């Protein structure tokens, strides 16, 4: 079973994904995998290079800030980039999910005895789960939410070294507006998790795991 985890910037979805990983669940991080695929997949790399120029790579480093500046001024470039990267990530995710399912059919070796029993349940974390079409590969979807003020605070602490200036606040708000989630349109079973600090991350993970195991 593949369960999607999504949510806007600062919602805390990555924290929840890391907590699931620490419990032994397999978690596919689409952001890091997409960057790896862009660098390591020859076909994807050449297409990205054609789109942005050879300067987009420094050896095996993908210059995300350079790309971000270009797509900010030319939104059509973002659409073209997504048309290159999203299918490649979806293809790799399918392979990964298949490998997780195959592994679950084998006996657990003694040295892995401490792992959870429900290995067939795995997760994919993505801020753009719906926009990328990856929601179609999921059996269930978890949407992590939080109040906007808290999302802004978390993002500034993480991305702007805690510098709560009007300029940084405006940047975060712009990023929040840019993220849209058409969650109401999905026919998949969905769980909304409010990550506002009233419940611990471990409690939220308990809720997610219990829901994931239900038929």
């Amino acid at each position: 079973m593949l369960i999607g985890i999504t949510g806007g910037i600062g919602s805390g979805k990555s924290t929840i994904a890391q907590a699931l990983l620490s419990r032994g669940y397999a978690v596919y991080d689409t952001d890091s995998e997409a960057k790896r695929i862009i660098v390591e997949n020859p076909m994807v790399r050449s297409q990205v290079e054609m789109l942005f120029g050879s300067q987009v790579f420094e050896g095996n480093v993908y210059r995300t800030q350079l790309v971000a500046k270009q797509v900010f001024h030319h939104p059509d470039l973002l659409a073209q980039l997504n048309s290159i990267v999203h299918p490649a990530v979806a293809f790799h995710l399918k392979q990964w999910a298949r490998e997780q399912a195959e592994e679950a059919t084998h006996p657990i070796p003694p040295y892995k005895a401490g792992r959870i029993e429900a290995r067939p349940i795995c997760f994919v974390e993505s801020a753009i789960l719906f926009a990328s079409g990856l929601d179609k590969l999921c059996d269930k979807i978890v949407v992590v939410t939080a109040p906007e003020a808290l999302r802004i605070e978390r993002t500034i602490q993480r991305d702007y070294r805690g510098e709560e200036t009007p300029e940084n606040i405006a940047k975060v708000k712009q990023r929040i507006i840019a993220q849209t989630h058409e969650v109401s349109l999905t026919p998949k079973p969905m769980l909304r998790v409010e990550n506002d600090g009233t419940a611990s991350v471990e409690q939220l993970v308990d809720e997610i795991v219990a829901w994931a195991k239900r038929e």
Side-chain angles (χ1 to χ4, degrees):
M1 178 183 293
L2 181 62
I3 299 178
I5 301 178
T6 192
I9 184 172
S11 62
K13 65 185 176 301
S14 295
T15 301
I16 288 175
Q18 283 298 315
L20 286 162
L21 191 62
S22 69
R23 292 195 185 190
Y25 285 95
V27 179
Y28 187 97
D29 179 356
T30 56
D31 186 49
S32 61
E33 290 294 340
K35 290 173 183 175
R36 183 191 61 77
I37 289 169
I38 288 171
V39 172
E40 297 180 6
N41 185 308
M43 184 175 295
V44 172
R45 179 167 177 149
S46 64
Q47 289 178 297
V48 171
E49 198 169 47
M50 287 177 63
L51 193 60
F52 295 101
S54 59
Q55 70 274 12
V56 75
F57 293 104
E58 285 185 355
N60 284 329
V61 176
Y62 175 55
R63 300 176 65 188
T64 55
Q65 291 187 343
L66 183 148
V67 172
K69 287 180 181 178
Q70 291 199 42
V71 299
F72 180 79
H73 295 291
H74 305 282
D76 58 307
L77 286 178
L78 179 59
Q80 293 179 63
L81 176 63
N82 289 342
S83 70
I84 296 168
V85 178
H86 289 174
V89 172
F91 181 79
H92 184 257
L93 175 59
K94 289 178 186 177
Q95 288 184 316
W96 178 87
R98 192 179 304 117
E99 288 169 2
Q100 302 307 311
E102 289 173 355
E103 182 184 352
T105 64
H106 300 298
I108 301 176
Y111 64 87
K112 291 186 178 180
R115 291 190 63 181
I116 58 173
E117 295 179 1
R119 287 194 304 171
I121 298 176
C122 51
F123 297 85
V124 50
E125 177 203 347
S126 176
I128 54 171
L129 189 76
F130 296 97
S132 64
L134 295 180
D135 61 301
K136 297 178 178 62
L137 304 180
C138 299
D139 299 292
K140 295 182 176 183
I141 295 169
V142 175
V143 178
V144 183
T145 62
E148 183 176 296
L150 183 56
R151 292 172 61 189
I152 292 172
E153 179 184 337
R154 288 171 176 167
T155 305
I156 286 177
Q157 288 297 324
R158 184 191 66 196
D159 296 347
Y160 300 96
R161 300 179 181 178
E163 297 177 5
E164 199 168 333
T165 64
E167 181 182 5
N168 288 343
I169 292 173
K171 287 180 181 178
V172 176
K173 285 186 175 180
Q174 189 175 42
R175 290 165 69 182
I176 288 175
I177 292 171
Q179 291 180 333
T180 58
H181 303 284
E182 299 175 347
V183 297
S184 62
L185 302 180
T186 180
K188 304 290 178 70
M190 186 175 65
L191 173 69
R192 290 181 182 270
V193 174
E194 182 72 15
N195 186 21
D196 58 3
T198 56
S200 69
V201 171
E202 289 303 316
Q203 288 174 317
L204 296 178
V205 170
D206 286 340
E207 180 184 356
I208 291 170
V209 170
W211 175 76
K213 291 181 177 179
R214 294 192 206 119
E215 292 298 331

